Amino acid sequence: MAKRIITISREYGSGGRFIGEEVARKLGIAYYDKDIIGQIAEQSGLSPEYIKENAELSPKKGLFAYAFAGRDITGKSIEDIVYEAQRKVILELAGKEPCVIVGRNADYILKDRDDVLNVFIHGDMPEKTQRIMGLYNVEEKEAVKMMADTDKRRMTNYSFYTEQKWGKASNYTLCLNSSQLGYDRCEKIIMECGK
Amino acid sequence: MAKRIITISREYGSGGRFIGEEVARKLGIAYYDKDIIGQIAEQSGLSPEYIKENAELSPKKGLFAYAFAGRDITGKSIEDIVYEAQRKVILELAGKEPCVIVGRNADYILKDRDDVLNVFIHGDMPEKTQRIMGLYNVEEKEAVKMMADTDKRRMTNYSFYTEQKWGKASNYTLCLNSSQLGYDRCEKIIMECGK
């Protein structure tokens, strides 16, 4: 059956966000990424700035500290509150209209629907590093650090909330190496698989 | 650049072998799977029956026993001898002509070439189970056991010889869920990515 929703998970610097945006544009469907932040903020009562920094990333402390972070009387940490709000927003968006959703564990959150195409975009170190250096105007060393930090935090957040391994092929319908295949071809394949 | 070699790694029951064979046929290039066994046997001096049973699979004992299995005076276990012969045969085949190679850690063995498209095919449990039940005329329980055993042994062998994780998206250029995408579409995408 044709897929209504496309979720894109991605390594930092792999161009996954760009590819997702292009796919949405070419298909003429909604694209959700940063736009979700405002909605999660509204839903959770937290500031958009806080959500932007934390919604998809684990705190810098790592998984152990993460699991035992400060919790309120209900046992919920602030991360749990953000995650719950995020989950609710993503379920609502997916129910409303065909769309592309980038990141935010949307593949797992929407796992009970059968009209979702889950995509993981990754890439090779040299190409990812070059992309980050160009996009954020940073030196190579800083780009490599940004990549390692961000992917580690995405991975920790994903493992904690989904009990699945981030980047494991079997979680996704389709995984693509954007450095080897090129962005154009990735977009083409995703659209072919959504049919 | 166009890819000369396509390697297919696959979950048991996912149809990866069938897909690889079809891609080779459609592209009019060589297909290596069981045919390699005779060559590995010749190279290693072991019987084709032994190779068939062991070349791609770890012994049933698991990784720990695997690492400390009986070794000859050079420190090589019989599995190491098989693996060395397999490695040599795959390097030779890849150097000779464009081809599709299924399994046998070919993705890792050929990692220094830049004309290789590495594909991982996986699938959903119900479809894989049905396929195995039909192919081998076994009950569901037996099919599930065959799947778990074979994939575990493939995984252990791969981890031992490659120091990479079997089924991790970033090892491959392309990963496809054949249950969700269908065999035809998988073949089409692989051919598109080999261009």
Side-chain angles (χ1 to χ4, degrees):
Chain A
M1 69 177 292
K3 304 295 185 189
R4 279 183 80 248
I5 320 287
I6 298 171
T7 74
I8 312 254
S9 308
R10 76 291 181 212
E11 285 180 354
Y12 192 66
S14 69
R17 172 185 288 172
F18 176 81
I19 291 168
E21 209 164 354
E22 282 296 293
V23 166
R25 192 180 60 76
K26 289 177 182 171
L27 293 175
I29 62 175
Y31 170 78
Y32 294 112
D33 176 13
K34 290 181 187 160
D35 348 26
I36 296 184
I37 291 169
Q39 299 188 44
I40 301 175
E42 204 171 309
Q43 186 76 42
S44 64
L46 295 160
S47 78
E49 290 69 31
Y50 183 88
I51 306 291
K52 192 178 170 192
E53 175 65 13
N54 293 283
E56 194 185 3
L57 303 173
S58 71
K60 289 186 176 162
K61 297 166 280 186
L63 186 58
F64 188 73
Y66 198 34
F68 296 96
R71 290 168 188 280
D72 72 5
I73 198 163
T74 66
K76 278 189 188 163
S77 70
I78 197 159
E79 286 86 7
D80 291 343
I81 294 165
V82 171
Y83 190 78
E84 253 318 298
Q86 175 176 309
R87 195 174 158 275
K88 209 169 159 191
V89 167
I90 286 174
L91 286 169
E92 274 174 19
L93 290 175
K96 209 173 61 181
E97 58 180 346
C99 58
V100 173
I101 305 176
V102 172
R104 297 166 205 290
N105 306 354
D107 58 309
Y108 184 80
I109 291 169
L110 300 174
K111 70 179 162 32
D112 296 330
R113 298 183 68 113
D114 60 5
D115 57 354
V116 180
L117 174 70
N118 292 315
V119 182
F120 184 76
I121 308 278
H122 56 97
D124 296 336
M125 283 299 278
E127 286 78 6
K128 291 191 296 183
T129 309
Q130 281 301 320
R131 183 171 172 83
I132 295 167
M133 287 168 68
L135 276 179
Y136 301 104
N137 196 25
V138 293
E139 300 278 317
E140 185 177 339
K141 204 177 153 186
E142 176 64 15
V144 170
K145 193 181 172 322
M146 284 165 73
M147 218 179 332
D149 282 357
T150 308
D151 282 346
K152 192 175 175 187
R153 294 177 75 196
R154 282 180 186 165
M155 195 183 299
T156 308
N157 178 293
Y158 189 82
S159 305
F160 188 76
Y161 285 109
T162 72
E163 295 174 13
Q164 293 186 162
K165 270 200 173 28
W166 187 78
K168 189 177 169 190
S170 56
N171 297 343
Y172 312 93
T173 318
L174 179 66
C175 304
L176 302 166
N177 180 317
S178 61
S179 312
Q180 288 173 34
L181 297 172
Y183 293 3
D184 267 1
R185 188 151 45 178
C186 290
E187 291 159 23
K188 207 169 146 189
I189 295 170
I190 294 168
M191 288 189 286
E192 168 64 29
C193 290
K195 277 180 195 163
Chain B
M1 67 177 292
K3 304 296 186 189
R4 278 182 80 245
I5 320 288
I6 299 172
T7 74
I8 311 254
S9 309
R10 76 290 181 215
E11 285 181 354
Y12 192 66
S14 69
R17 172 184 288 172
F18 176 81
I19 291 168
E21 207 164 355
E22 282 296 292
V23 166
R25 192 179 61 75
K26 288 177 184 172
L27 292 175
I29 62 175
Y31 170 77
Y32 294 113
D33 176 13
K34 290 181 187 158
D35 348 26
I36 296 185
I37 291 168
Q39 299 187 44
I40 301 175
E42 203 171 309
Q43 185 76 42
S44 65
L46 295 160
S47 77
E49 291 68 31
Y50 183 87
I51 307 293
K52 192 178 170 192
E53 175 64 12
N54 293 283
E56 196 184 5
L57 303 173
S58 71
K60 289 186 174 159
K61 297 165 279 185
L63 186 57
F64 188 74
Y66 199 31
F68 296 96
R71 289 168 190 281
D72 71 7
I73 199 163
T74 66
K76 278 189 186 163
S77 70
I78 197 157
E79 287 85 8
D80 291 342
I81 294 166
V82 172
Y83 189 77
E84 254 318 298
Q86 175 176 311
R87 197 175 157 274
K88 210 169 158 189
V89 168
I90 287 174
L91 286 169
E92 274 173 19
L93 290 175
K96 209 172 62 181
E97 58 182 345
C99 59
V100 173
I101 306 176
V102 172
R104 298 169 205 288
N105 305 353
D107 58 309
Y108 184 78
I109 291 170
L110 300 175
K111 69 180 162 33
D112 295 330
R113 298 184 66 113
D114 59 4
D115 58 353
V116 180
L117 174 70
N118 293 315
V119 182
F120 183 76
I121 309 278
H122 56 97
D124 296 336
M125 282 300 278
E127 286 79 5
K128 290 191 296 181
T129 309
Q130 281 302 319
R131 181 169 172 83
I132 295 167
M133 287 168 68
L135 277 179
Y136 302 103
N137 196 24
V138 294
E139 300 279 317
E140 184 177 341
K141 205 177 153 187
E142 177 63 14
V144 170
K145 193 182 171 321
M146 284 165 73
M147 219 179 330
D149 283 356
T150 308
D151 281 346
K152 192 174 174 189
R153 295 177 74 196
R154 282 180 186 164
M155 195 182 300
T156 307
N157 179 293
Y158 188 82
S159 305
F160 188 75
Y161 286 109
T162 72
E163 294 174 14
Q164 294 185 162
K165 270 199 173 30
W166 186 77
K168 189 178 169 190
S170 56
N171 298 343
Y172 312 94
T173 317
L174 179 66
C175 304
L176 302 166
N177 180 318
S178 61
S179 313
Q180 287 173 35
L181 297 172
Y183 293 2
D184 267 2
R185 188 151 44 179
C186 289
E187 292 159 24
K188 207 170 147 188
I189 295 170
I190 294 169
M191 289 189 285
E192 168 64 27
C193 290
K195 278 183 195 163

